[in-house]
Amino acid sequence: MSERIVLPMRSCEESENGATVTPTTFRLPTALIWDVEDEVSFAIQESSKKMNKLCNDLDLFVHRFTKYGKEFIKKHRMSPDAFVQVALQLTYYKVHRKLVSTYESASLRRFYKGRVDNIRAATAEALAWVKAMCDSQQVTEETKVLLFQECIKKQTEILLYTVNGEGPDNHLLALREIAKEKSYPNLPIFQDKSYWEFLNFRLSTSQLPTKYGVLVGYGPVVPDGYGCSYNPYEDHIDFCVSSFFSSKETSSDFFAHSLEGSLLNMGEICEKISQMELEAKQSNSST
């Protein structure tokens, strides 16, 4: 026989009005005895083995960038989210010498039955800037600054039009599913290899903001990819970088330390922008 416990609890009405507390009865939890068939038991054991294998393969590295946070980024009139996304593009290019399809979840809860869409970051503007940062010794600092500003501007535009329901991913997904319903499953656009590369997210990211120091991460979505969550605080940025040990192409700690360098480079560019603006202001005031 299960025991019962009586605890004083406020009802909704009482908590609002401060009325007299009335006792509420709770049943103590008891273990449930399951009658599991052999087939189900075997499936559970096999699933447990697969889960353990995945857990053991997960290369998770937590990194805190302490040189600055979102206060510094906002001071330079930039979106912290766009700033971090651009930093991830620079980091991926430094490590792998290319850009890849990047996923960042964007909430569409402002719309009826809205869920999420994808804020993309591997743009032509990003590629031009990261190449200037990594591949060309002949590029002037002024050119790097201009390319950086164009990159940030483009990323901010993508962020805004995606959260307003104008991103390409959900629209293409809807067209693909409608085509299936209408018995047009083999439309050329959805068979082209570029479309599947478009969906091959080797860099899966998400801003997971919280004020309470909670670290939230997740695994990569492809075998040779990274998962990277981030939380920008006022004076620092937390990152949870993940990959798989079984991939010879990825390393979470190497990526995280490269990301540290990218953010330092970008901080220097921001200071350069401030210096250029100050010099321009002084020049205008003297004429």
Side-chain angles (χ1 to χ4, degrees):
M1 180 181 295
S2 61
E3 300 180 45
R4 290 179 178 270
I5 185 169
V6 178
L7 295 175
M9 296 290 292
R10 292 181 183 271
S11 68
C12 293
E13 182 180 355
E14 290 164 345
S15 63
E16 293 176 359
N17 301 331
T20 305
V21 175
T22 57
T24 303
T25 301
F26 292 93
R27 184 187 298 274
L28 288 177
T30 57
L32 297 176
I33 308 301
W34 294 87
D35 183 12
V36 181
E37 298 178 354
D38 291 342
E39 182 180 356
V40 175
S41 179
F42 177 77
I44 292 173
Q45 293 175 18
E46 290 301 305
S47 297
S48 179
K49 291 178 183 178
K50 292 179 181 178
M51 180 59 70
N52 288 335
K53 183 178 179 180
L54 283 172
C55 290
N56 292 332
D57 193 27
L58 184 65
D59 178 10
L60 180 64
F61 190 88
V62 176
H63 182 70
R64 172 165 290 179
F65 178 77
T66 59
K67 301 302 180 183
Y68 58 80
K70 63 182 179 181
E71 181 181 5
F72 172 85
I73 301 170
K74 290 180 178 179
K75 175 184 174 183
H76 289 86
R77 302 185 299 279
M78 299 178 195
S79 159
D81 189 75
F83 191 93
V84 173
Q85 284 295 319
V86 167
L88 291 171
Q89 296 304 304
L90 176 57
T91 303
Y92 196 96
Y93 189 85
K94 287 196 300 183
V95 175
H96 297 283
R97 283 298 185 264
K98 62 181 179 180
L99 296 186
V100 293
S101 289
T102 304
Y103 183 92
E104 181 196 359
S105 57
S107 173
L108 297 180
R109 286 180 294 178
R110 67 179 63 187
F111 298 103
Y112 178 62
K113 292 188 177 181
R115 298 190 67 185
V116 294
D117 204 341
N118 175 24
I119 302 172
R120 290 185 173 267
T123 63
E125 289 81 359
L127 183 60
W129 174 63
V130 299
K131 281 186 173 181
M133 293 293 291
C134 299
D135 295 344
S136 178
Q137 298 179 354
Q138 305 301 320
V139 179
T140 65
E141 291 301 314
E142 288 73 16
T143 299
K144 291 178 182 178
V145 166
L146 291 174
L147 290 174
F148 172 70
Q149 290 174 316
E150 291 175 5
C151 183
I152 289 288
K153 179 181 178 182
K154 183 63 176 180
Q155 189 59 34
T156 305
E157 289 175 359
I158 293 173
L159 188 158
L160 293 175
Y161 73 58
T162 303
V163 298
N164 283 316
E166 299 174 6
D169 286 75
N170 281 359
H171 293 281
L172 286 171
L173 175 61
L175 288 172
R176 192 181 77 190
E177 295 307 305
I178 291 172
K180 289 180 182 178
E181 291 181 1
K182 300 297 183 181
S183 300
Y184 295 110
N186 298 317
L187 292 178
I189 185 175
F190 300 123
Q191 302 302 314
D192 194 276
K193 64 179 182 180
S194 62
Y195 175 71
W196 294 105
E197 187 61 31
F198 179 76
L199 298 178
N200 186 24
F201 297 112
R202 292 189 181 92
L203 189 54
S204 179
T205 74
S206 183
Q207 180 181 173
L208 301 173
T210 173
K211 299 179 181 179
Y212 304 106
V214 178
L215 293 170
V216 182
Y218 44 82
V221 298
V222 295
D224 58 346
Y226 298 94
C228 186
S229 64
Y230 52 94
N231 185 5
Y233 291 85
E234 294 299 323
D235 60 352
H236 68 275
I237 308 173
D238 285 343
F239 295 92
C240 289
V241 181
S242 66
S243 60
F244 290 120
F245 287 117
S246 56
S247 173
K248 296 180 180 180
E249 299 182 23
T250 57
S251 169
S252 296
D253 61 338
F254 187 78
F255 188 92
H257 288 117
S258 298
L259 178 58
E260 171 94 9
S262 298
L263 290 166
L264 291 174
N265 293 153
M266 292 167 67
E268 292 172 357
I269 291 178
C270 288
E271 297 294 357
K272 179 67 175 179
I273 292 173
S274 296
Q275 180 183 346
M276 292 170 63
E277 290 176 345
L278 178 61
E279 291 174 354
K281 185 177 180 180
Q282 291 174 342
S283 176
N284 292 334
S285 62
S286 63
T287 57

